[in-house]
Amino acid sequence: MTGFDQVVNGFAIALSWQGLLSCFIGCLWGTIVGVLPGLGPLAGMTLLLPLTFHQPPEIGIIMLTGIFYGAMYGGSTTSILVRIPGEAASVVTCIDGYEMARRGRAGPALMVAAVGSFVGGTVSIVGLMLITPPLAKVMIAIGPSVQVVLLLLALSVIAVVSAGSRLKTTIMMVLGLLLTAIGLDHLDGVPRLTFGNTTLAGGLSFTSLAIGLFGVSEILINLEKTELIKAIQPKFRDLIPRMKDVRDAAPAIGRASVIGFIFGIIPGVSHVVSTFVSYAVEKRFSRHPEEFGHGAIAGVAGPETANNAVTGTAMIPLLALGIPSIPATALLLSALTIHGVQPGPLLLTDHPEVFWSLVASMYIGNVILLILNLPLVGIFVNLLRIPYSWLVPIILIVSVIGVYSVAFSAADIWLMVISGGAGYVLRKFGYEMAPLLLAFVLGDRLEENLRLALTMSGGSYATFADHASLIVLTSVLGLLLVVQALAWVFGYRKSVADEAEGA
Amino acid sequence: MNGDADNPAPAGGDAVQVLFRAIGVRHGEIWIAAVLAAAGLVFGWQASLLDFGTVALPGPGFIPLVLSLATIALGGIVGVREWLRADSGETVELGHRDVLIVFAAMLAVPLLFEPLGAYITLGLFGAVLLVLVARSSLVIAVLSAVVAMAACWYFFQVALGLQLPVGDVLERIVR
């Protein structure tokens, strides 16, 4: 099958009724979890994970990816209308989005957020489509030593760009690596850290850990908050922006698409960081920076475009290298593995239909989301009227069934509950869960490749400093330095973060 | 420490009676450090039973042992740092009534899931949470739980073909 045939085949799968239905369900559920505070894309994806088990891998992945980018769309709605971010990447949108809504301009804010999300999403899909195949081709040639360098770099970057304490991030990563060692050793087949328990021989379930650490802990934390929500109800006819709005928003959308695109490749909290950087960039470029914080439309357009531009590029490290850069793509990796598809350089050779149908579905999904998010915004806002205490049992029941259905083991429910409790306490003390989860996903491969590389080189650590490794190391470090410099120049850590906190 | 960017506030909810207990951040961190160090020790002991190999050619016990030692060391760093730090008076509130109820109910789920069956366990779980957390009446809670379990059965068992455990009790009734 030629490259063109593969693209056509991908679109045929995405446009089939199963593909369209799966994409629609994913986008709709993604928007709902994005709108509902306390439920992020990861929780949304884990909850629907069991639905994909009985589907072909390409259809299941279309649905899960739809939830991921749908949540980014939905998150803006509550930020603008309620001043509560539906998920972390929408925090910055609260600043000017809610101010606009308070001044009777919720419609244009929602419209610009939706159009910006559409443009950012589309730009990133083009990037995904153009960059992944050549990158995968290069990566096929790399050996285990380069893989080790890449994986160590990914973990180091997570530690460096993490918003919280570096020490706590390192602790969580070491814990993640330690937990992934539980189970059978991949090279020798020896059971490790199992305490003689055969249930642990298969290792800890990623799904249980992810739902526990993110879903359950988030529910427990949110149960403590008792604010009553008053949402501003926009009218459909008010959605049309003025010419001045278009003039202000258009360049912001263009710049933010590039920012989100670049940040998407960086592991860690790229989708959140990109919104802060984009906001700072817009404020710096604006002729009226004093309007920021008081309802500047560029302050909505920029961050909302950036967080959606991340979604496509965040898939590049996953699909080309098999390295997830954020927890949501870690879950996609896990879902693909459950379906017997290994993301990485060989994905395009072994399962081109999965890659191309995913790309095609993202184009379609962006259109679905644009249609869903504008006319139906009133319905989504009404979801906020459902008391949180009624949602909790529903979410937890579906989580339990989801976790159990992966391996039909009650031990996985235990893991979910225990990791949920531990996650709750750790989060209260400022420990982030994402580094643990990403390290848990990468740990297996890191150890396997490390030991393979050393065996192949006869035990020489010089293998990690060979020509290919050094090229990879320098290029990635160069890219990271540029991105860090950008973030530093535009003062992500200080001014904008403070401003968002005050929002 | 509460209400960070990753934890947006929930949708709605009535004012509830809370039983918060303020724990000093310093004390909490020392406890976390102690648990980390203990976990590192236990995992390290398990790893020491495996073949370590050599530094040049690591065996299956090498990485787990190194990681266990790292966990102990990091726990030690946090513990010592907090021990030496002057108490800032900063606290973290734990022990919210609803959180405790939900967590206790969740602990019961894996215990009962296979013996009682998925539908009875989850139905009971839902009803308990509706009564104690959502403060609905017992009748509404039971009715909602029955409807929810019927929906779950149809969706997961009939539509998706997912075989959830029915439990001894339900199995006897069916027989």
Side-chain angles (χ1 to χ4, degrees):
Chain A
M1 201 184 266
T2 64
F4 181 73
D5 290 338
Q6 289 174 352
V7 178
V8 172
N9 186 36
F11 271 90
I13 293 169
L15 287 168
S16 67
W17 73 266
Q18 295 106 318
L20 284 173
L21 182 68
S22 192
C23 189
F24 177 77
I25 293 172
C27 290
L28 180 66
W29 179 241
T31 307
I32 291 171
V33 295
V35 166
L36 291 174
L39 272 179
L42 194 83
M45 287 162 78
T46 41
L47 290 177
L48 284 204
L49 185 62
L51 286 192
T52 68
F53 294 161
H54 298 271
Q55 297 168 341
E58 57 275 17
I59 300 294
I61 295 306
I62 285 175
M63 185 194 285
L64 292 176
T65 317
I67 300 171
F68 174 36
Y69 53 79
M72 298 294 171
Y73 265 76
S76 61
T77 306
T78 42
S79 294
I80 292 168
L81 300 178
V82 196
R83 205 195 192 191
I84 292 171
E87 42 86 43
S90 300
V91 171
V92 188
T93 314
C94 287
I95 305 173
D96 286 283
Y98 185 72
E99 273 306 309
M100 284 183 73
R102 226 168 50 86
R103 293 163 192 216
R105 306 201 59 231
L110 287 166
M111 177 62 118
V112 161
V115 172
S117 300
F118 176 77
V119 174
T122 310
V123 167
S124 74
I125 302 163
V126 174
L128 169 70
M129 205 170 87
L130 296 178
I131 294 175
T132 309
L135 186 62
K137 256 185 203 164
V138 174
M139 288 299 150
I140 283 177
I142 66 168
S145 60
V146 184
Q147 291 242 22
V148 171
V149 171
L150 267 175
L151 291 164
L152 282 176
L153 259 175
L155 291 174
S156 316
V157 174
I158 293 165
V160 173
V161 301
S162 168
S165 144
R166 302 249 158 90
L167 177 63
K168 288 178 177 176
T169 306
T170 310
I171 289 173
M172 297 312 278
M173 279 202 300
V174 170
L175 265 183
L177 292 172
L178 193 57
L179 292 178
T180 200
I182 295 174
L184 286 182
D185 174 37
H186 287 287
L187 295 179
D188 293 341
V190 181
R192 302 191 301 184
L193 313 181
T194 58
F195 303 91
N197 189 331
T198 47
T199 318
L200 288 175
L204 299 182
S205 152
F206 172 83
T207 317
S208 306
L209 210 59
I211 295 190
L213 293 176
F214 279 90
V216 175
S217 71
E218 199 148 295
I219 285 169
L220 295 177
I221 285 173
N222 285 331
L223 274 168
E224 295 176 349
K225 300 169 187 164
T226 55
E227 300 97 336
L228 285 167
I229 287 180
K230 283 179 191 159
I232 295 168
Q233 280 282 3
K235 288 175 187 135
F236 185 60
R237 65 170 186 276
D238 298 335
L239 286 171
I240 311 299
R242 301 183 299 225
M243 260 325 279
K244 184 184 178 299
D245 293 334
V246 177
R247 273 200 305 272
D248 289 346
I253 289 173
R255 281 188 288 264
S257 297
V258 178
I259 291 168
F261 183 84
I262 296 169
F263 273 83
I265 306 172
I266 313 298
V269 284
S270 51
H271 60 307
V272 183
V273 179
S274 70
T275 59
F276 283 103
V277 172
S278 164
Y279 187 82
V281 167
E282 290 318 315
K283 197 171 177 182
R284 189 68 61 93
F285 273 88
S286 172
R287 267 180 263 167
H288 301 286
E290 70 283 357
E291 285 179 5
F292 279 72
H294 303 286
I297 200 157
V300 177
E304 275 308 309
T305 307
N307 74 29
N308 280 275
V310 164
T311 55
T313 36
M315 307 287 276
I316 297 173
L318 172 73
L319 299 174
L321 313 175
I323 298 176
S325 56
I326 51 176
T329 52
L331 191 107
L332 283 176
L333 183 141
S334 170
L336 282 165
T337 314
I338 289 170
H339 281 284
V341 177
Q342 186 59 51
L346 290 172
L347 177 77
L348 272 154
T349 322
D350 296 346
H351 299 280
E353 74 286 355
V354 172
F355 176 76
W356 288 110
S357 60
L358 176 68
V359 170
S361 78
M362 286 176 84
Y363 280 116
I364 298 162
N366 265 291
V367 179
I368 291 176
L369 284 167
L370 195 63
I371 298 166
L372 269 181
N373 274 267
L374 291 176
L376 303 182
V377 70
I379 295 172
F380 290 125
V381 171
N382 281 333
L383 284 176
L384 295 168
R385 290 186 183 169
I386 303 172
Y388 193 66
S389 49
W390 275 81
L391 288 175
V392 170
I394 300 170
I395 297 167
L396 289 177
I397 285 171
V398 179
S399 302
V400 169
I401 296 175
V403 160
Y404 183 82
S405 62
V406 176
F408 296 97
S409 163
D412 287 346
I413 307 177
W414 274 116
L415 178 62
M416 180 191 86
V417 177
I418 293 166
S419 55
Y424 165 73
V425 175
L426 287 170
R427 284 173 76 165
K428 296 282 283 185
F429 283 92
Y431 289 80
E432 287 183 55
M433 297 298 114
L436 189 154
L437 210 62
L438 288 169
F440 182 80
V441 172
L442 298 177
D444 259 355
R445 278 179 57 206
L446 179 63
E447 184 186 355
E448 205 176 310
N449 282 298
L450 177 81
R451 287 168 63 193
L452 263 176
L454 285 172
T455 309
M456 284 162 70
S457 67
S460 166
Y461 277 82
T463 186
F464 302 113
D466 64 4
H467 188 59
S469 305
L470 287 177
I471 291 175
V472 172
L473 191 74
T474 346
S475 345
V476 178
L477 277 179
L479 179 68
L480 286 176
L481 279 175
V482 171
V483 173
Q484 277 291 305
L486 269 176
W488 181 77
V489 166
F490 290 106
Y492 152 64
R493 276 188 182 276
K494 290 179 183 172
S495 56
V496 192
D498 292 347
E499 218 162 315
E501 240 170 61
Chain B
M1 286 270 175
N2 293 330
D4 57 332
D6 284 337
N7 307 316
D14 300 317
V16 289
Q17 194 189 351
V18 293
L19 303 169
F20 272 141
R21 186 176 166 194
I23 311 271
V25 169
R26 188 167 160 266
H27 280 103
E29 293 278 16
I30 291 172
W31 271 106
I32 289 173
V35 172
L36 273 174
L41 273 173
V42 174
F43 281 120
W45 159 64
Q46 277 284 299
S48 69
L49 303 175
L50 299 161
D51 174 21
F52 183 80
T54 61
V55 176
L57 294 170
F62 181 85
I63 299 282
L65 191 65
V66 169
L67 291 169
S68 303
L69 293 176
T71 309
I72 297 169
L74 289 165
I77 291 170
V78 174
V80 171
R81 193 184 68 172
E82 293 300 323
W83 189 271
L84 296 177
R85 193 166 66 99
D87 197 347
S88 62
E90 199 183 348
T91 57
V92 165
E93 288 172 333
L94 293 172
H96 188 284
R97 175 189 175 275
D98 291 349
V99 172
L100 294 178
I101 291 170
V102 170
F103 192 66
M106 281 178 66
L107 282 173
V109 171
L111 276 176
L112 304 173
F113 199 75
E114 280 170 343
L116 265 188
Y119 299 106
I120 294 179
T121 306
L122 294 176
L124 279 172
F125 173 73
V128 166
L129 293 196
L130 287 178
V131 172
L132 296 179
V133 178
R135 290 162 181 80
S136 73
S137 71
L138 187 63
V139 178
I140 290 178
V142 171
L143 279 176
S144 307
V146 170
V147 172
M149 285 309 104
C152 277
W153 170 78
Y154 183 79
F155 187 68
F156 290 105
Q157 192 121 0
V158 179
L160 292 177
L162 207 64
Q163 289 297 324
L164 294 172
V166 286
D168 298 337
V169 180
L170 210 63
E171 210 163 14
R172 269 182 224 143
I173 295 170
V174 171
R175 277 180 192 169

